[in-house]
Amino acid sequence: EQALAYGELCLELVSLIGDYVELPEVLLPDVSVPDEINESDIQDTVRAVKNLWGVDVGPVPSVVQLLEANGVIVMRLPKGTDPRVDAFSTYAGKRPLVFLSPHVNDRARGRFEAAHELGHLLLHPDTEPGSKIVESQAHAFAAEFLMPREEIIDQLPRRIDWPRFHELKRHWGVSLKSLVYRAKTLNVI
């Protein structure tokens, strides 16, 4: 409830600021995803947003800066927010807002969290949060956004190789957990 109340205040603030300041144009791809989203739909959506934003191959630079440069307002929830609230996203009219956890101090996790919320904005703009399927799809979006299948699959080790995973962690800017999980979901390990 506290996080939602904070979100409502921020919606009002963004609306007010928008009356006086020219905010960046909202630039999100107009994608239509089916009710039953599959891996191919997620890959197509990632490809559409990266093409629209001019994101080169390789590691994605700052996810938050990308969001903000393309009209998405990104804010941190207040420090006293219940730690069970990781992050959430919503729209203020046509302006998307992403609220990130104040409890995440790990850069890799923060990048994944921001990409996860971008996935919700594109794949589930009208869906109630909390569904395991919806969360799984947003996780898959974030994984594809930060570690594209076509770019990373040949870099992943075929067995647990911690030195190699640490190299990939530094290169891609993601956590070891994300890398191992990505290797598993891509059937590399």
Side-chain angles (χ1 to χ4, degrees):
E1 289 177 1
Q2 179 190 21
L4 292 175
Y6 180 76
E8 290 292 326
L9 286 172
C10 291
L11 292 174
E12 292 293 325
L13 181 62
V14 167
S15 178
L16 180 65
I17 289 172
D19 291 342
Y20 297 96
V21 175
E22 188 175 331
L23 297 170
E25 177 186 357
V26 175
L27 197 57
L28 292 176
D30 185 20
V31 294
S32 60
V33 291
D35 291 336
E36 300 292 323
I37 298 172
N38 63 36
E39 185 179 334
S40 176
D41 299 319
I42 291 169
Q43 289 173 342
D44 291 346
T45 304
V46 167
R47 200 171 304 114
V49 74
K50 282 186 165 186
N51 286 340
L52 183 64
W53 290 358
V55 177
D56 292 328
V57 297
V60 174
S62 172
V63 178
V64 169
Q65 285 180 354
L66 270 174
L67 290 168
E68 291 176 335
N70 290 286
V72 178
I73 304 292
V74 181
M75 298 182 186
R76 286 258 174 231
L77 291 165
K79 288 191 188 261
T81 303
D82 188 323
R84 292 176 294 178
V85 178
D86 281 339
F88 66 94
S89 52
T90 188
Y91 281 86
K94 294 187 181 203
R95 173 91 40 202
L97 282 86
V98 168
F99 297 90
L100 301 175
S101 171
H103 308 291
V104 174
N105 295 319
D106 178 62
R107 180 179 176 267
R109 181 164 174 222
R111 288 167 47 80
F112 197 89
E113 191 176 82
H116 176 98
E117 292 307 319
L118 174 60
H120 279 309
L121 290 171
L122 295 171
L123 300 172
H124 317 113
D126 300 323
T127 305
E128 285 294 317
S131 155
K132 287 187 181 201
I133 293 171
V134 166
E135 291 304 313
S136 175
Q137 291 167 348
H139 269 58
F141 177 93
E144 181 66 23
F145 189 78
L146 294 172
M147 303 167 279
R149 180 186 203 290
E150 299 302 317
E151 296 174 44
I152 200 168
I153 197 161
D154 292 333
Q155 297 177 16
L156 293 167
R158 304 296 179 233
R159 59 180 174 73
I160 296 296
D161 176 347
W162 292 119
R164 179 66 181 143
F165 276 120
H166 278 280
E167 288 174 23
L168 292 171
K169 172 186 169 29
R170 284 187 297 278
H171 178 75
W172 289 98
V174 296
S175 69
L176 289 172
K177 181 179 179 180
S178 293
L179 280 164
V180 172
Y181 189 75
R182 187 72 168 143
K184 183 181 180 307
T185 58
L186 293 176
N187 296 317
V188 173
I189 290 181

